[in-house]
Amino acid sequence: MLNGLRVGTDLNYVGNLLFNENVSQYEINGDLDLNRYLISYAYGIANYQRIGETFTYQTNGSYFKAGLDVNFINNLEGNNAVFVGLRYAQSGFSASLDRVFLNEDGSVDQMSSWEENDLSSFWFEGLVGIKVDVWQNIHMGFTVSNRFLNSISGEDDLLAYEVPGFGHAEAGSLWRFNYTIQYYIPFRKQKSPEASTPSQ
Amino acid sequence: MKIFLKTIIPVIIVVSMISCYDNSECVTENLAFAVVVFRTDSQDYTYRLPLNNLQDTVTYGFDSIIVGQLSLIYNRKQRLIHPDCGLETVFEIDTALTPLSNNLSVVDKEIKKPISNNIEIIL
């Protein structure tokens, strides 16, 4: 039973765009509401730039996530959701490093660059979350997720520091909070409180 | 239910933002030596190889226990520890060569951060 489609983005990344000049990440996400089940998706692109006194490290890439959520309040009012779910995620990205080697007196000894263009990674996410219709089909919510089994391939002379969509590359598992704002496109008439209340 | 959810969302967001504040510390190891363990049929030998003059292929002389030469071929990998901490160079031994014994193996070839632990290279 197809109820509707949510389309939106992650507020974390909007905040980064506004307040963190070294991180730019765009993500479109949502789900297909099948009443009790939600088929979830996300696609994003990311650019991370880490600058130190002697280096500039950049990561560029994209990622997608897909999975299934189970909604425990599908029979209650509105199209709200309290759910648990599982995701498979995959990322393809590149990393580059410009590094300056200094002598003991602080003068520049040499400058070197490294680049890895065919890095890839996959991982899984287990999550719980809620989505609430706050106003006129605008849904807000959050998820608490654990990302795990991160596997990276393609590393040669430069080790990956961050994986787009995952986070710190060397972490075996990560806990994350994500905040979403989404628009709900209903395919059927919205459930009302009266409809779910037994008649007298 | 709806009011409850609307109320709890901002609370969760504020609490989680505080808890997610990045307070990681820089943990670096400034190793002057690489510790490499060689195993023969009867004994393990531990050698401390100086890192300051390490080349892509180097030859080290053994002490009086084993007379001979050891050649190490290894990879240098650049690793960003943390944006506030900087970088380090990870040395990973790819191949160890010696003309001495067919039963000699490198038990621990980690020099800096572990990439692959306890991989034995049978010579």
Side-chain angles (χ1 to χ4, degrees):
Chain A
M1 190 184 336
L2 190 58
N3 283 343
L5 175 71
R6 288 186 185 87
V7 180
T9 191
D10 192 309
L11 290 174
N12 283 347
Y13 308 139
V14 176
N16 277 330
L17 286 173
L18 296 174
F19 302 111
N20 190 342
E21 62 182 12
N22 294 321
V23 176
S24 58
Q25 185 164 353
Y26 305 88
E27 180 180 295
I28 180 170
N29 57 30
D31 60 72
L32 199 57
D33 183 1
L34 303 178
N35 203 20
R36 182 165 179 76
Y37 298 101
L38 309 171
I39 298 175
S40 297
Y41 64 91
Y43 175 80
I45 56 175
N47 177 287
Y48 309 126
Q49 184 170 254
R50 307 300 179 187
I51 300 174
E53 290 182 2
T54 59
F55 67 89
T56 299
Y57 190 111
Q58 288 198 73
T59 305
N60 281 291
S62 61
Y63 60 92
F64 76 87
K65 303 176 184 182
L68 187 69
D69 300 333
V70 179
N71 182 6
F72 292 104
I73 60 166
N74 58 302
N75 290 322
L76 299 181
E77 64 178 270
N79 293 305
N80 305 314
V82 175
F83 57 92
V84 298
L86 185 67
R87 303 272 189 282
Y88 170 79
Q90 192 169 313
S91 174
F93 59 105
S94 64
S96 65
L97 169 67
D98 296 317
R99 182 178 186 182
V100 176
F101 292 89
L102 301 177
N103 295 313
E104 289 184 3
D105 61 3
S107 61
V108 175
D109 181 26
Q110 61 172 310
M111 299 174 67
S112 299
S113 296
W114 292 263
E115 195 166 341
E116 302 285 0
N117 289 315
D118 295 316
L119 298 169
S120 61
S121 176
F122 69 87
W123 66 94
F124 294 91
E125 296 185 13
L127 53 89
V128 297
I130 64 174
K131 295 175 181 178
V132 181
D133 185 351
V134 290
W135 181 72
Q136 297 288 320
N137 286 334
I138 301 294
H139 288 207
M140 291 186 72
F142 68 87
T143 60
V144 182
S145 63
N146 182 256
R147 302 170 179 176
F148 58 96
L149 288 179
N150 180 31
S151 172
I152 300 173
S153 59
E155 290 176 316
D156 191 10
D157 293 335
L158 179 61
L159 300 178
Y161 178 67
E162 289 165 298
V163 176
F166 180 83
H168 190 211
E170 294 180 6
S173 71
L174 287 171
W175 287 97
R176 282 288 181 267
F177 284 93
N178 289 87
Y179 322 104
T180 55
I181 182 166
Q182 297 169 332
Y183 184 72
Y184 189 88
I185 305 168
F187 296 154
R188 303 169 66 232
K189 186 178 179 182
Q190 190 164 341
K191 289 171 278 187
S192 65
E194 291 76 16
S196 59
T197 305
S199 56
Q200 299 296 317
Chain B
M1 183 68 178
K2 193 171 178 178
I3 295 173
F4 169 74
L5 293 176
K6 283 184 177 179
T7 305
I8 200 169
I9 282 179
V11 174
I12 294 287
I13 288 175
V14 170
V15 171
S16 59
M17 280 183 167
I18 293 172
S19 65
C20 287
Y21 175 72
D22 183 7
N23 59 353
S24 57
E25 296 178 357
C26 298
V27 179
T28 59
E29 294 177 73
N30 187 18
L31 297 178
F33 294 91
V35 178
V36 183
V37 180
F38 302 95
R39 173 171 295 164
T40 65
D41 290 339
S42 58
Q43 194 171 347
D44 288 352
Y45 301 100
T46 301
Y47 289 89
R48 290 156 60 89
L49 310 179
L51 286 176
N52 53 347
N53 292 319
L54 213 53
Q55 303 298 317
D56 287 345
T57 302
V58 291
T59 302
Y60 292 95
F62 280 7
D63 59 19
S64 58
I65 300 174
I66 301 175
V67 179
Q69 299 289 310
L70 173 72
S71 298
L72 297 177
I73 301 171
Y74 58 89
N75 302 312
R76 294 169 184 235
K77 297 174 183 289
Q78 300 298 310
R79 174 178 176 264
L80 176 58
I81 303 167
H82 186 277
D84 296 333
C85 307
L87 297 146
E88 69 175 0
T89 302
V90 177
F91 298 88
E92 183 189 33
I93 298 175
D94 182 63
T95 309
L97 300 171
T98 176
L100 288 175
S101 170
N102 290 329
N103 295 321
L104 191 67
S105 63
V106 178
V107 177
D108 187 353
K109 65 173 186 173
E110 173 193 342
I111 294 185
K112 200 73 170 170
K113 292 290 180 180
I115 295 177
S116 50
N117 287 325
N118 299 323
I119 295 177
E120 293 198 11
I121 300 174
I122 305 300
L123 302 172

